[in-house]
Amino acid sequence: LFLARLVPMLLSALSALVVWRIGRRTIGELPAVVAALLLWVWPPYPIWKLEVWAGFYGGGLFYTTLVLLLTLRLDESPARRRVALMGLVRGLGFGESVQTVAVIIPARAGRARLRPRVWREAWVAIPGALVGALPWILSNLRHHWWSLSIPGSGMDVSYATRLRGFFTDTFPMLLGLRVPYSTAWIFG
């Protein structure tokens, strides 16, 4: 059991390290340290969920922070090697959890809008992305695209209801303002 929890814990620590590296480039040394420490220890619900209940979130967190760091590095120098590495990390992130797309696509699209020259080298990322996502692709080919369906997930509930639930329950839990699963407010 400990070893099963060790990998997500290490990925969480690595993610905090990557956030520190991002922060050094964007907000300075001291705020970067604070941001990294906050990611590592707050709020308690996502940390518990990542380390105890759903360890795969550790990989998703690591890949999304790595994509953000690589996005900044591509802005500095859009060398083909960096573009290829970005493709690989995106593919690995996507293969780990489709949820990473919520960060992967906007991060690159936003920066590419500001720096259009990046698009000239974008083709270099495709082979790495395919290699990184290959386990996901093969698994879905073998199982009739099983990861694109959510059986028994209550998907018969309207999107508006799920969206409202996200903002009234899940998001406050992620911020440490509500008790997980009971949804009671921390401060009454």
Side-chain angles (χ1 to χ4, degrees):
L1 182 62
F2 174 73
L3 289 178
R5 293 176 59 188
L6 182 63
V7 172
M9 292 163 95
L10 290 173
L11 288 169
S12 178
L14 285 172
S15 299
L17 180 66
V18 173
V19 165
W20 168 70
R21 298 290 306 261
I22 292 167
R24 288 182 62 203
R25 285 180 152 73
T26 58
I27 57 177
E29 183 67 32
L30 183 59
V33 169
V34 171
L37 289 173
L38 281 175
L39 177 74
W40 201 23
V41 301
W42 186 263
Y45 171 65
I47 292 168
W48 171 81
K49 189 169 183 171
L50 177 135
E51 294 176 359
V52 176
W53 189 66
F56 74 92
Y57 285 125
L61 177 64
F62 177 66
Y63 289 126
T64 54
T65 57
L66 204 52
V67 162
L68 295 174
L69 178 62
L70 290 172
T71 298
L72 293 172
R73 287 187 173 176
L74 277 172
D75 279 349
E76 295 166 3
S77 170
R80 284 186 177 175
R81 184 180 78 239
R82 286 183 175 182
V83 174
L85 180 60
M86 174 66 94
L88 178 63
V89 170
R90 283 181 177 170
L92 289 168
F94 180 80
E96 173 72 22
S97 172
V98 177
Q99 294 174 351
T100 61
V101 171
V103 173
I104 290 172
I105 291 176
R108 193 66 236 144
R111 299 313 297 176
R113 182 182 54 80
L114 298 174
R115 305 223 185 223
R117 66 188 167 122
V118 171
W119 289 110
R120 284 182 283 186
E121 302 295 334
W123 64 271
V124 177
I126 295 171
L130 289 173
V131 168
L134 193 59
W136 182 87
I137 294 167
L138 292 175
S139 175
N140 276 283
L141 284 172
R142 286 188 195 124
H143 302 339
H144 310 288
W145 300 99
W146 65 274
S147 70
L148 299 179
S149 65
I150 308 172
S153 65
M155 295 309 284
D156 53 329
V157 176
S158 74
Y159 178 77
T161 301
R162 291 192 316 269
L163 188 63
R164 182 177 48 83
F166 171 77
F167 283 107
T168 59
D169 298 329
T170 305
F171 193 59
M173 276 189 272
L174 292 173
L175 294 176
L177 301 174
R178 289 192 103 151
V179 177
Y181 298 111
S182 80
T183 68
W185 290 96
I186 297 289
F187 302 109

